[in-house]
Amino acid sequence: MKKSISILMICAAQFAFAQIAIGKASVTPLPATTTPNPSISLEFGDYAGPQLGKGIILPYVTSAAAVTNSVAGTFFYDVSDKVVKLKNGTNSYFALSKNEVTTVGANTSFDTTGVVSTALQDAPNVSEFLDAKVNIGPSSSGTPPGILVLENTNQAMILPKVASPHLNIINPEPGTMAYDTVTKQIAVYNGKVWSFWKP
């Protein structure tokens, strides 16, 4: 019995300090070591060459008002004005992409009237678990709402790294984000154009 409890406690401790790599074998190690960098909670692989570009796609919402109880650092794609938004520390939202309300070509996720296609989210045969979420890091009793919540005080997420995402991410969806390794900027796609942010 004691061995079973000990094993369960060790497993629980591993999840509390989880580090996750997606699209690569492991989290980037510290320089000149094989020790995973303790500052990384979630890291995406580097995408170049024959793999083509890949980014993360943010959750779609019908309006910023629909994002209730959000906390600073929340990212989402607002289909009402076609803008990728970030909630800042002052209970307001900061636009990370341009507002595109004009008609655009059919080779994007907008149709010819400029309306965002939410066919995947609205599909009748797709069942959605409204309370589904993933929490990475030590869980607190006041866990903020969200699909993917990173709750670390000393770890960060690393976006997918793509050389020139505007050229190498083929047919991106609105709300796609990646780190451009050429310009050293965050790239955000709103369904028509890419916006680039540099610190």
Side-chain angles (χ1 to χ4, degrees):
M1 181 70 168
K2 284 185 181 182
K3 286 183 183 180
S4 297
I5 293 173
S6 297
I7 290 171
L8 287 173
M9 289 177 65
I10 290 170
C11 290
Q14 291 297 320
F15 286 115
F17 301 103
Q19 290 183 287
I20 298 173
I22 298 174
K24 59 189 298 184
S26 63
V27 171
T28 301
L30 292 169
T33 72
T34 58
T35 305
N37 187 332
S39 297
I40 299 171
S41 66
L42 175 61
E43 181 177 17
F44 294 89
D46 300 343
Y47 298 101
Q51 293 177 330
L52 297 176
K54 297 180 182 179
I56 62 169
I57 300 174
L58 298 173
Y60 286 20
V61 298
T62 54
S63 71
V67 184
T68 57
N69 302 319
S70 62
V71 297
T74 299
F75 287 94
F76 58 88
Y77 179 73
D78 188 337
V79 297
S80 66
D81 58 8
K82 303 169 190 68
V83 175
V84 173
K85 296 180 180 177
L86 164 69
K87 183 167 185 179
N88 63 23
T90 62
N91 283 333
S92 61
Y93 296 97
F94 182 76
L96 292 177
S97 65
K98 287 179 58 178
N99 179 319
E100 293 292 342
V101 294
T102 58
T103 301
V104 295
N107 193 24
T108 67
S109 291
F110 288 103
D111 67 14
T112 56
T113 62
V115 176
V116 176
S117 171
T118 58
L120 181 60
Q121 294 86 342
D122 300 335
N125 59 347
V126 175
S127 58
E128 187 172 312
F129 298 102
L130 298 176
D131 58 348
K133 71 183 299 176
V134 173
N135 188 37
I136 299 173
S139 196
S140 63
S141 59
T143 299
I147 297 168
L148 172 63
V149 178
L150 306 177
E151 283 193 288
N152 293 298
T153 58
N154 59 357
Q155 293 180 324
M157 177 182 73
I158 297 176
L159 290 173
K161 298 174 193 166
V162 180
S164 304
H166 62 293
L167 301 175
N168 290 315
I169 297 180
I170 308 304
N171 294 324
E173 288 294 319
T176 299
M177 289 181 71
Y179 178 75
D180 187 341
T181 58
V182 175
T183 63
K184 309 290 188 249
Q185 297 177 330
I186 295 173
V188 180
Y189 185 68
N190 74 345
K192 182 179 180 186
V193 297
W194 287 91
S195 297
F196 295 87
W197 290 89
K198 189 168 190 167

